[in-house]
Every structure is written in structure tokens, then in C-alpha cells.
């Protein structure tokens, strides 16, 4: 191997060395003081990350497990929920709602578009019996960022419980749940938190907890009320994925050291680097206005074989991108730039993309695309992005 | 710390160095060929471990998640199931059954006793409408081994689906599911497989799959039929706990190298070491006849403070035992000897137990208890235990 592997997918992300060393530590027991202390120490960092005063639950399951838990704990079978369906993960919300006996009222959008607050207001007017809204903060399949803060206002005004899949948003772009009126926010470990997959995190507002108490779900593994009791004692309800929690402590220590706003700033700047470079190359971006800060989706010209392009990128340049999913398969390249990724990784991604694109017959007129991207990166580092 | 920490609990267990190094490897993507290859390679080892030709599903959840998945996929709400309730985990089966709308018919036994095949036959006669039996292979809270092979015969004769929680049995003592007529066998990663917790494994017989197909559960995260489709392509349905799967490959390679029968032999011998030593000390064993091969539960004399004994063992000797749970809290010491534990670890546990016991006012007349245990260990290494 003369290329180092470079994972530029929207999760899992590369792991910092501190996390990898933490993962390799020998086992400790999940019911003994040494583990309780670590889990309790993580609470503070998780609450800051979620922007909440409520406890943040730690579930041993992937993010989809947390989505399933949210839908089944917050809503009763037969209840109607609005669902923003603007990509694969919006579809997943609808599938979960359907499987679990909720009545989904989908707001279907073109893949690549963000929902607008007024779309939700209109849907709420059309479905006065809806009790909640299921939405992604960042739709990972397209790279679109939905306007969660504005949706929070609409949901308040219409008495809708706002349930947000923050899987590729938390720790990547601001989503302070208490300030924005989010009732349930969840994420997975393998995105902004730069851990391996296997853990998910979830917090609920007072209003959401009241609904859970009234819903009395028949869940056993995903029993959020029982998890809330346990987390107060520095434990999880069932055996926790111990070494991932030990890694979490290392990750949260890193966030504490550099500050969440610095993380967001870096994410914003890398997004500018990727977007500006791709546009300078002549490529079209899938998410035009409302784009996430952890991945950039570029559209390939009609007729170009996107699967082959990805293969060239990994074989010749060592760069692992994600392709499109379902209807976008072969049509887009998703450049992940979240977690333990820096400007030089993104620059390598941009160059690998350009060269693979040319190998697939694409034409790049402008030779200083990377220079333009780096200038945008440096400029972005001076902009105000915090919240 | 002048003592090395020694984890002698019935899971999580210490981790082999190969596993720890595997856990520390940088991230790979769960939908790319490199991961699919690892997961596919693990299938063979998992099938040998489970003694089955059926696919072994890999769930990102703790063992309780797999129990929940088994109960909800194999049975419909309203169906009656016999439940062997001889400890905390038997109670958990009953709780899951109740939560999920099944009708549990519990066979309640004294904690420390194993169920007999004739008890199940009697219960089956009393409940001819029962469609399944939920039982542990090894009841971790007491250290009792239930007679799964015999239960397989009774279940066949009475048309009961046999669902076995093998959490502290698989990879510790024989439980070949196809040969013994087990319809659903499940386990967690942190016991015999000497990985951190966070993954569970599960296989179903043809008959069980037919039931799942008929049951059509409304599960989303724990959707076994969809998992079966995916595992055939070297993937899991949702994002897998990647680094635990990478660790699994290392563990299964170890099993392949030394052979499963050698693992069972070692487990049997360590059980003889622990039991013989404890009895030579004058301690009473909780599981008299039908005992598991991965832990030994010793009863403390009336009035002795078991919580204090455990604290002395860890503070003074670095040995972490598990105590009793629920009604056995403070009454027993559970010496775990599963996973990456060898004779010297168990010997250290025996000595730490003896000294902590004396510090709590216990009297040990016989001074060569450890010699007796080691002789039993060596003798056991020559006995036939395989299957």
C-alpha cells in the first residue's frame, strides 16, 4: 500500500489517537464505581453538546435504534405525525412510523432540498390532528441542513412535538436543543463524536418526557423512562458498550479543551473548502442553499459512472468517499468532512475527486480550484458561526 | 497501584491483547468491501460456535436487546410461553414476555436450582396452549446450568419452540444448537467471546424462521428477517459496531487456532479449580449439581457482610468479583472465570477470596485449599468434556 487510507465518508469517521488508545484499554465492569464515574463525567459534556439541562441517555445501539426508541416512546400507535421526507433518512422516519403503527403524514421534498418552516406550518394546518414532527437536522443522504431553529418555532405554535435525528449534525453544526425548542434530539457515536459506531445518545424536553410518561410504551430494551432512572446513578439500564463509553470520555475531553464553537468553526471552514473547490472545478452541488457542515454532495454530469469514479478514488488515491444511496446511486459523490478530519484531508479529497473525475472523462477548465478552496477555508475561519 | 486489577466477574471479561489491538484499529466503513469481508469471515466461526448451519445474525445491542428481539420476532402478542424462572435472568425473560404482550407461564424455581426436563414436560401438559419455552443455558445470577439438551427433547415432543439465552454459555460450555434442537440461541459479546459489550449474536432454526415469517413483528431496529437478508451480503441491516466486529475476527481466529473443545476443556478445569478450592475452604456452593462452567457462586455464612468482602478483595488484592443480585445481594460471591482468564487468575481469585473471607470473620481450617483446587484443575484437564 503506497497510499494511506483516508476515510472521507459521512460516518464512520477516522478516530483520534486518544480515542483509539482509550478503546484498547482493558475491560472494566459496567456496574462498578470506576465505570459509573466515567459515565457520570460524560454527562456534563453530553449536556453541553446537546445544549440541554436534561439528562442525555446513552443507548447501546446504532442511531437507527435511537430513532426507533424516540418514535415508540414519544408517540402511541394511531397517533399522526408529520414526517419531513427529503432523503433516505427522512424515508427511514416514515418507515419507522409506519412499522410502529403511527400514522405518518409525509412532507415529500425533492432530494437535495430543505424543508421550509412554512411547509410545516401548512402541513400542520392540513393535519390538525398531528401531534409531532419527525425530521433530520442534517439529511446525510443529500447533505441538506433543515432549519431546526425555525421548525422549533412552528412546532411550538402548532403544539407539535419536535423530534430531531441529529445523527450527522450534533457536534458538527449548532443544534442547542433547549434554546431551539427541540423536544427530542438524538445522535450516533460515529459522526461528530468521532467514535466507532455502536452507541447512540438521546435527550428529551420536559414536554417530551410528559408524553413518554403518558405513552407507556411496551418497549423493553428501548425503555427511556427506565434509562432516565439509571443514568442518574451513572449507569445504563442494560450492559453498556463499555469501551465505546471509555472512548467517549476521551472525545468529550477534546471538545472541552478546544470548545464547541471552535469545532463548529472548523466544520464550517472545511465545508467552504469542499464546496468552493468543487464549484471551481465546474461541478454542481446537490444542496444549493441549505447544506450541512459535515459533508458535501457533488452531482456528477449525466452519463458519468459514479461507482467507477469512487473506485478510482480509493484504488489510485486511497480516498474513500461515499456514493449516492437509492435513487442517487452512481449520481453523486458525498465527501465526508466530519469528526477527526482536517483541512489537509479535505484537500486530499478534493484532489482525488478532481483526478478521478478527469479519469472518468470529466473536464476541469480551472486549474486553481484547490487554491480557491483553501482561500475560502481561511476566510471561513474568521467568520462568526457559533450560537 | 501496587496490585494489577484482575476482573473475575461473569462478564465483561478481560480482553486478550490481539482483541485490544484490533479494537484500536482506525475506522473502516461498514458498507465497503473491507468490512464486508471481515463480517463474512466471521460467519464461519460464529456458525461453528453456535453449532448451526443457519446464519448467525450480528446485532449492535447488548444481550438483552437480543432477548427482546427473540421474544418479539418468534412470538405474537397473546401467545403463551413457558418461562424458566430460576434467577434474575429468568425473571428478565418473564418481564420481556409480559412487556411485549405474550402470556408467560413461569416455572419458578429456587435460586440455585436447575430446571428438570420433567418439570417442563409437566408444565407443557398443564399449558397445552403454550407455543414456546424461554430459558437460560446458564443463569448468570446463580451459576446454574440448565439441561438444554434434555429440554430440546421435551420441546420437540411437545411442539414448543425452544428459545435459549446463551449469554454466559456460548463459547464457555457446549451448546450445539442444531444437534440439541435449540430453535433460537443468542449470546452477547462480553462473555465467552472476550470482547467488550455492545454486540449480540443470534441464530434461529428453520422452524423458528417459519414462526418469524408468520409472526411478522412490527419491530424496526430488531427486524430479524431483514437482518437475515443483509448478513448474506456480509452486512448488517443498520450501521454495525465496526470495531467490535473487527475484534470479533481476532477472537474467532483464536478459537479456530486452539479449537472449541480446548476452550471448553479449560473452562471445565477452571470450574473444578474454583469449586474444589471453595469447598476445601469450607464454603458452600450455591449451584450444587448443575453448575455453569464460566462462574462459581459461593454462599457466605449467615450474617457475613458480602458487600464488605467484595470491597476488601478489590481494595487489598486487586480482584474484582461480582456479588449477588437482588435477593442474593450480599449473600454470595460470584467468581467469574470466563473469557480471557487462566488458571493463575482463578488461583489469585481463590486466594483473594480466602483472605477477604478471613478478614470478614470467616474461619478456614484447611490450609491447602489451593493445592486441592489445582490438583482438581489438572485432573479435569484430562477428562473428556467435548461434544
Amino acid at each position: 500500500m503506497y497510499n494511506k487510507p483516508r476515510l472521507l465518508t459521512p460516518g464512520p469517521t477516522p478516530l483520534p489517537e486518544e480515542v483509539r488508545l482509550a478503546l484498547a484499554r482493558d475491560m472494566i465492569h459496567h456496574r462498578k464505581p470506576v465505570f459509573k464515574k466515567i459515565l457520570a463525567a460524560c454527562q456534563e459534556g453530553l449536556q453541553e453538546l446537546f445544549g440541554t439541562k436534561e439528562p442525555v441517555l446513552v443507548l447501546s445501539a446504532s442511531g437507527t435504534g435511537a430513532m426507533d426508541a424516540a418514535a415508540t416512546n414519544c408517540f402511541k400507535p394511531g397517533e399522526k405525525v408529520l414526517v419531513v421526507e427529503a432523503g433516505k433518512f427522512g424515508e427511514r422516519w416514515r418507515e419507522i412510523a409506519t412499522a410502529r403503527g403511527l400514522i405518518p403524514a409525509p412532507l415529500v421534498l425533492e432530494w437535495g432540498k430543505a424543508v421550509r418552516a412554512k411547509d410545516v406550518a401548512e402541513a400542520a394546518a392540513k393535519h390538525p390532528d398531528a401531534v409531532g414532527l419527525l425530521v433530520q437536522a442534517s439529511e446525510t443522504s443529500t447533505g441538506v441542513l433543515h432549519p431546526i431553529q425555525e421548525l422549533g418555532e412552528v412546532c411550538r405554535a402548532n403544539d407539535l412535538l419536535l423530534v430531531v435525528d441529529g445523527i450527522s449534525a450534533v457536534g458538527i453544526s449548532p443544534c442547542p436543543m433547549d434554546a431551539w425548542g427541540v423536544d427530542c434530539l438524538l445522535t450516533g457515536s460515529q459522526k461528530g463524536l468521532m467514535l466507532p459506531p455502536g452507541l447512540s445518545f438521546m435527550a428529551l424536553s420536559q414536554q417530551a418526557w410528559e408524553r413518554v410518561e403518558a405513552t407507556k410504551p411496551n418497549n423493553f430494551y428501548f425503555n427511556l423512562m427506565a434509562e432516565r432512572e439509571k443514568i442518574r446513578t451513572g449507569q445504563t439500564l442494560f450492559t453498556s458498550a463499555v469501551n465505546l463509553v471509555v472512548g467517549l470520555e476521551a472525545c468529550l475531553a477534546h471538545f472541552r479543551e478546544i470548545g464547541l464553537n471552535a469545532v463548529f468553526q472548523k466544520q464550517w471552514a472545511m465545508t467552504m473548502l469542499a464546496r468552493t473547490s468543487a464549484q471551481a472545478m465546474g461541478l454542481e452541488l446537490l444542496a444549493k442553499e441549505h447544506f450541512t457542515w459535515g459533508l458535501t454532495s457533488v452531482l456528477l454530469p449525466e452519463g458519468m459512472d459514479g461507482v467507477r469514479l469512487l473506485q478510482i478514488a480509493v484504488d489510485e488515491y486511497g480516498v474513500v468517499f461515499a456514493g449516492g444511496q437509492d435513487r442517487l446511486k452512481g449520481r453523486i459523490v458525498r465527501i465526508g468532512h466530519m469528526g477527526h478530519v482536517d483541512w489537509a484531508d479535505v484537500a486530499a479529497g478534493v484532489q482525488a475527486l478532481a483526478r478521478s473525475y478527469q479519469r472518468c472523462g470529466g473536464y476541469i477548465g480551472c486549474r486553481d480550484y484547490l487554491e480557491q478552496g483553501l482561500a475560502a477555508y481561511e476566510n471561513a475561519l474568521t467568520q462568526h458561526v457559533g450560537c
Side-chain angles (χ1 to χ4, degrees), chain A residues 46-77:
Chain A
L46 286 172
Q47 286 175 318
E48 194 191 335
L49 192 66
F50 274 62
T52 188
K53 288 183 172 146
E54 297 295 327
V56 182
L57 309 179
V58 178
L59 305 176
S60 292
S62 81
T64 301
M67 291 171 75
D68 196 359
T72 48
N73 278 266
C74 293
F75 304 107
K76 280 186 207 145

Side-chain angles (χ1 to χ4, degrees), chain A residues 23 32 107 120 158 212 220 228 235 254 267 320 332 353:
Chain A
L23 294 172
K32 300 288 183 183
L107 283 78
V120 173
N158 291 277
V212 177
F220 192 85
R228 179 172 59 168
Q235 295 179 78
H254 169 74
Q267 287 301 131
V320 183
I332 61 170
L353 174 63

Side-chain angles (χ1 to χ4, degrees), chain A residues 112-135:
Chain A
K113 296 270 189 258
V115 75
R116 294 168 303 179
K118 69 173 219 177
D119 301 334
V120 173
E122 281 167 23
K126 198 173 148 197
H127 299 282
D129 51 339
V131 293
L133 174 69
L134 304 178
V135 64

Side-chain angles (χ1 to χ4, degrees), chain A residues 6 16 24 40 86 101 111-112 137 140 142 144 175 262 270 275 278 292 299 312 347-348 363 369 375 385:
Chain A
R6 265 199 178 68
W111 286 32
T140 316
T142 60
V144 156
C175 190
M270 291 194 303
R275 290 178 70 85
T292 67
L299 273 161
I312 294 172
Y363 173 72
Y369 57 87
V385 301

